[in-house]
């Protein structure tokens, strides 16, 4: 794969800035101002960002047939919170899905693929499915490729191969793109990778959870100040909670499941 050697010089700094919004270090929280008087985040997301024409037939079958719904999140460090995994978005996704589908048996597990490109992750996806046997794989990717300036065409090809492999292995797939950070948007070019994931999603009829656009909306609307580096763990927890809630709604929408029928 092609990469830009100059981009590697700033990789360490970029990693701290880009990933730090959702995986903040505990020391940062000690210096953060108290936010107990702040109003809770609304978590509102425009309807078009939680709507998809692509479906999750295996998730639909599992829910409607009373089968276990096992979800595997394949992600990077931004799928965690260092000091509280229970507050990270995969755990929040599981909690919200259980609230929405109280009769379903739901389990969400996480497979971290830290500092790996989409091509490197794609190689192991089939093995993960064989071992975990998930109904649904949520593949969070693009961040590390953008940091390393991997050729967007190579990135698109790797994501496409990964999606095909996952589906052939028997799992539904949701793609999740990069997180949005106003602090790093001038340092790296996210657009080619966002566009590549949209192309793959359309080509392989796969739901794309547009985390980038959702977080951009929250920042622009004032729900979250994603520019400030001093918000600490409280910000991370609230953003993760909102991502988990939005993702649960997205999965339900793509599975064409009516939660009201589960009560």
């Amino acid at each position: 794969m092609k990469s830009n050697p100059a981009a590697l010089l700033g990789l360490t700094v970029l990693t701290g800035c880009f990933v730090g919004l959702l995986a903040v270090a505990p020391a940062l929280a000690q210096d953060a101002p108290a936010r107990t008087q702040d109003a809770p985040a609304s978590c509102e997301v425009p309807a078009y960002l939680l709507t998809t024409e692509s479906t999750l037939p295996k998730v639909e079958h599992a829910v409607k047939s009373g089968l276990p719904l096992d979800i595997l999140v394949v992600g990077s460090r931004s799928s965690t919170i260092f000091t509280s995994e229970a507050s990270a978005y995969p755990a929040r996704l599981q909690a919200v899905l259980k609230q929405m589908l109280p009769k379903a048996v739901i389990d969400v597990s996480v497979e971290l693929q830290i500092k790996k490109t989409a091509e490197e992750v794609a190689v192991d996806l089939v093995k993960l499915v064989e071992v975990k046997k998930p109904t649904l794989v949520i593949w969070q990717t693009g961040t590390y490729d953008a940091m390393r300036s991997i050729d967007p065409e190579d990135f698109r090809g790797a994501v496409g191969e990964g999606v095909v492999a996952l589906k052939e292995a028997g799992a539904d797939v949701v793609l999740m793109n990069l997180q949005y950070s106003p602090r790093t948007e001038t340092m790296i070019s996210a657009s080619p990778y966002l566009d590549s994931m949209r192309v793959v999603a359309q080509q392989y009829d796969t739901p794309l959870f547009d985390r980038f656009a959702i977080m951009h909306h929250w920042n622009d609307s004032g729900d979250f100040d994603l520019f400030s580096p001093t918000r600490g763990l409280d910000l991370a927890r609230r953003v993760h909670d909102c991502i988990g809630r939005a993702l649960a709604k997205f999965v339900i929408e793509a599975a064409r499941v009516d939660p009201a029928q589960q009560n």
Side-chain angles (χ1 to χ4, degrees), residues 54-96:
S54 301
T55 61
L56 299 173
K58 296 183 183 301
V59 174
E60 178 184 17
H61 176 70
V63 173
K64 291 184 177 180
S65 301
L67 299 173
L69 174 55
D70 294 317
I71 300 174
L72 175 63
V73 176
V74 179
S76 63
R77 189 165 56 178
S78 66
S79 61
T80 68
I81 299 178
F82 290 157
T83 61
S84 179
E85 292 306 310
S87 299
Y89 82 75
R92 298 304 304 140
L93 167 65
Q94 176 174 297
V96 176

